[in-house]
Amino acid sequence: MRRARLLAIPVFAALLAGCGIRATEVPTDFGPAPSRAHCSLAGQRISTQSSPGMPVQVFLLCGASLVTVDRAVRVPQGTEDSERRVPLAQGLLDELARTPSAAERQAGYSTDVPGGMTVSGPGPRDPEDTLRLTTAPEDLTSYALAQIVCTFSDSAAAEGDGSVILGGPGAAPPRSYECTDDVRARPGQVEPPSTEVTGG
């Protein structure tokens, strides 16, 4: 009987060695493989997320870069451009802070701009095209700052030269920020270049 037990040990060990690695023909389904964000809504109009108004473009995040999407903001009609800058900037800021729709999220869009921010015009010693935020630009994430700078500088809220003058709620001098190709391609790694400006 002892000899029979000894003979059974190698057989039992061989069976254990095969456990867990033997191929199976039983089909398994763990769902589809993760897909990369494609940054496209297949022709859907993103601007339907907003009320009818002035057509604009804002920069959202998709993957590791910034991409433009269509929006519409309400601005006062029949007023001079200088008087429309702040309402337009506020509308753009609201659109940037808006949570992307389900279709946009599925397509890979997101935003890092926090809600609740407001924008005002220049202070007494600021250049006339300054926009001051209730959150200082240096306190924003690099993603949020890139979104705001690129959106503002590409709109009628700025001078149209690819830059925008931004300041915070305090008395610190505003800075002129630029939206470059590197910023659009790598907003999390490259902050918008800026220079201090003074004088109104």
Side-chain angles (χ1 to χ4, degrees):
M1 186 172 179
R2 182 180 178 185
R3 184 178 180 184
R5 288 178 180 175
L6 291 175
L7 290 175
I9 290 175
V11 176
F12 186 64
L15 290 174
L16 287 177
C19 288
I21 60 172
R22 188 172 298 172
T24 176
E25 295 181 1
V26 179
T28 56
D29 184 12
F30 296 101
S35 59
R36 294 182 178 181
H38 46 81
C39 307
S40 172
L41 291 181
Q44 298 182 41
R45 289 187 58 82
I46 304 176
S47 59
T48 57
Q49 194 179 40
S50 303
S51 301
M54 180 183 200
V56 295
Q57 285 190 323
V58 300
F59 282 83
L60 295 184
L61 299 168
C62 192
S65 61
L66 294 179
V67 292
T68 57
V69 296
D70 296 324
R71 288 285 193 265
V73 298
R74 289 185 178 276
V75 294
Q77 298 296 321
T79 56
E80 296 183 3
D81 290 343
S82 59
E83 297 177 358
R84 299 174 62 188
R85 288 181 61 254
V86 172
L88 173 59
Q90 185 63 59
L92 293 171
L93 195 60
D94 292 342
E95 289 299 326
L96 286 170
R98 186 190 299 273
T99 301
S101 67
E104 290 171 345
R105 292 195 301 271
Q106 187 176 6
Y109 293 96
S110 65
T111 184
D112 212 44
V113 177
M117 272 197 301
T118 59
V119 59
S120 60
R125 299 182 180 179
D126 295 339
E128 63 179 4
D129 52 351
T130 300
L131 296 171
R132 284 196 172 267
L133 306 172
T134 51
T135 299
E138 60 268 22
D139 293 336
L140 296 168
T141 66
S142 59
Y143 290 105
L145 182 59
Q147 285 184 259
I148 293 172
V149 168
C150 289
T151 297
F152 282 3
S153 65
D154 195 41
S155 74
E159 291 300 306
D161 61 353
S163 66
V164 61
I165 300 178
L166 296 177
R175 301 183 70 87
S176 177
Y177 293 86
E178 293 182 49
C179 178
T180 65
D181 291 340
D182 284 342
V183 171
R184 288 190 290 269
R186 297 177 294 161
Q189 302 176 32
V190 179
E191 291 195 355
S194 67
T195 55
E196 185 175 310
V197 294
T198 56

